[in-house]
Amino acid sequence: LPIWHLSGNDNPYADWVLVNIGERLVEIGSSLQRETQRGEDQLRTLQQRGLHFSVLQSRVPQRVELGFRSPYGYAVADLVVRFDTCNRVLKTLVRKDLLPDRDGRTLIYSYTRRLRGLFEEPVRFERWLMRDELRPLCRHDFLPAAGAEASKRVAAVLALFGPVPRDVFIGTR
């Protein structure tokens, strides 16, 4: 993830992207967990009445060895697993007539859109921040004595993305 490397070079915009991704990973993951729990609770209630349903699963589950250069890769992998679990629980509820088909599709689609948006945001920032003119951008560029090239970089990113939130810029968030 080039954003990870730019953050390592003290680029405040890369930090901003990573903070946003981290916060959204937690928020979406929690939402998926709540939705999954709701569905599993429904299935457990039926089990107490004597109806035993198992959650849909692949006939040929895949095992994949993971290796990432940043912790965000592992967080995304966890989110994908949570999405898969939620998806399978929702589809189980639909197939057992415990959730209307339209509602199940709507929920799955809403999570799909949120996940896709999560992955598109860093790509948009990367497209600009990885350009030769902006790649050297760092917090030092924002100092008054940073120089003409630094001022050009700062003007360009401010025009593209606006200012970085202060708490991200100073590193408290």
Side-chain angles (χ1 to χ4, degrees):
L1 189 64
I3 290 289
W4 176 257
H5 296 293
L6 291 174
S7 176
N9 291 334
D10 203 28
N11 183 317
Y13 286 86
D15 291 345
W16 187 17
V17 171
L18 292 176
V19 166
N20 284 339
I21 289 171
E23 290 171 352
R24 289 176 64 196
L25 281 168
V26 169
E27 186 270 320
I28 295 170
S30 296
S31 182
L32 284 165
Q33 188 65 39
R34 285 190 302 274
E35 194 65 52
T36 302
Q37 189 65 52
R38 222 182 340 263
E40 289 173 338
D41 289 348
Q42 270 188 279
L43 294 173
R44 228 179 332 278
T45 299
L46 290 172
Q47 187 175 14
Q48 291 170 349
R49 294 184 198 156
L51 290 171
H52 297 271
F53 296 125
S54 58
V55 174
L56 293 172
Q57 59 186 348
S58 173
R59 291 182 194 166
V60 187
Q62 300 296 306
R63 259 195 181 342
V64 179
E65 194 168 317
L66 299 176
F68 300 105
R69 292 184 215 157
S70 81
Y72 291 91
Y74 295 100
V76 169
D78 177 60
L79 190 65
V80 169
V81 169
R82 287 176 190 238
F83 174 67
D84 175 65
T85 304
C86 183
N87 198 358
R88 291 183 295 107
V89 167
L90 290 172
K91 287 183 178 187
T92 298
L93 295 174
V94 168
R95 288 192 179 179
K96 304 305 178 195
D97 200 31
L98 301 170
L99 179 69
D101 184 50
R102 181 180 56 219
D103 294 352
R105 278 187 280 122
T106 299
L107 280 167
I108 291 168
Y109 179 71
S110 73
Y111 281 113
T112 303
R113 286 188 63 218
R114 290 169 71 187
L115 289 168
R116 185 174 294 131
L118 176 71
F119 298 125
E120 289 173 350
E121 182 182 4
V123 170
R124 183 176 73 88
F125 273 80
E126 263 176 33
R127 189 175 301 130
W128 290 101
L129 295 177
M130 288 302 292
R131 290 186 175 198
D132 291 338
E133 309 85 49
L134 294 180
R135 193 174 299 142
L137 181 74
C138 66
R139 282 177 172 79
H140 182 269
D141 291 352
F142 290 82
L143 297 174
E149 289 301 313
S151 294
K152 287 180 188 177
R153 287 191 292 271
V154 169
V157 293
L158 287 172
L160 287 167
F161 305 119
V164 173
R166 180 167 170 68
D167 57 348
V168 173
F169 191 87
I170 63 173
T172 58
R173 182 174 122 218

